[in-house]
Amino acid sequence: MRGIDAVDNNTVWVTGSYWTLDTLMSDQSPRYSKAAVLRTTDGGNTWSLWTFEDGKYARKICALDEYTAWVVLDGCKIVTTNDGGASWKYHDEFKIPDGDSLTICTVDADIVWVAVDNDYIYLSEDGGKSWSCKKSRWFCIF
């Protein structure tokens, strides 16, 4: 697992990898993985799973409620759902020349912050349609 966000006592979103086993291998070693998102809306009794071909990991997640979540995949790819995972939208507008997204945080459906490992911080104020760089090449360790 890479990330987790609980929006209430029953609804929890989790990111990570979904490993596929190669049944031809006698030791059942993992063959490859896909980025994955899990969600429960009943306190963990049942879970829904979504996988993405883009990358091996879904790194971080920020959920607003049981229907809306923002997910960072490998390679600074961002996907969102606003219908509880029935459909996912790729935000191709978010393009970073180098670096990989570390974390994501949403305030509401419009305000989204993303921190990248190349010391840049990005803000969208229109639900991911456009992005602006808010901090450049300066990082403090507390």
Side-chain angles (χ1 to χ4, degrees), residues 3 42 45 95 119-120 142:
D42 60 9
N45 293 315
K95 297 191 187 320
D119 297 340
Y120 287 85
F142 294 84

Side-chain angles (χ1 to χ4, degrees), residues 47-86:
W47 293 86
S48 298
L49 168 70
W50 297 274
T51 60
F52 303 88
E53 299 294 330
D54 303 273
K56 293 169 41 176
Y57 300 106
R59 295 186 173 272
K60 299 294 181 184
I61 190 162
C62 188
L64 293 175
D65 53 41
E66 70 180 277
Y67 303 105
T68 309
W70 289 73
V71 178
V72 175
L73 304 177
D74 281 340
C76 276
K77 294 179 182 168
I78 296 175
V79 295
T80 59
T81 183
N82 60 11
D83 56 13

Side-chain angles (χ1 to χ4, degrees), residues 5-13 40-44 63-67:
D5 196 2
V7 296
D8 58 38
N9 287 344
N10 292 313
T11 306
V12 179
W13 296 78
T40 183
T41 56
D42 60 9
L64 293 175
D65 53 41
E66 70 180 277
Y67 303 105

Side-chain angles (χ1 to χ4, degrees), residues 5-6 9 12 19 21-22 26 31 33 41 55 61 68 84-85 99-100 105 111-112 115 129 131 142:
D5 196 2
N9 287 344
V12 179
W19 288 92
L21 297 177
D22 183 351
S26 60
R31 167 97 185 212
S33 71
T41 56
I61 190 162
T68 309
D100 204 6
C105 183
I111 307 297
V112 184
K129 295 180 184 122
W131 298 87
F142 294 84

Side-chain angles (χ1 to χ4, degrees), residues 62-64 68 70 105-113 124-128:
C62 188
L64 293 175
T68 309
W70 289 73
C105 183
T106 60
V107 176
D108 55 33
D110 291 322
I111 307 297
V112 184
W113 290 90
S124 175
E125 297 178 282
D126 56 10

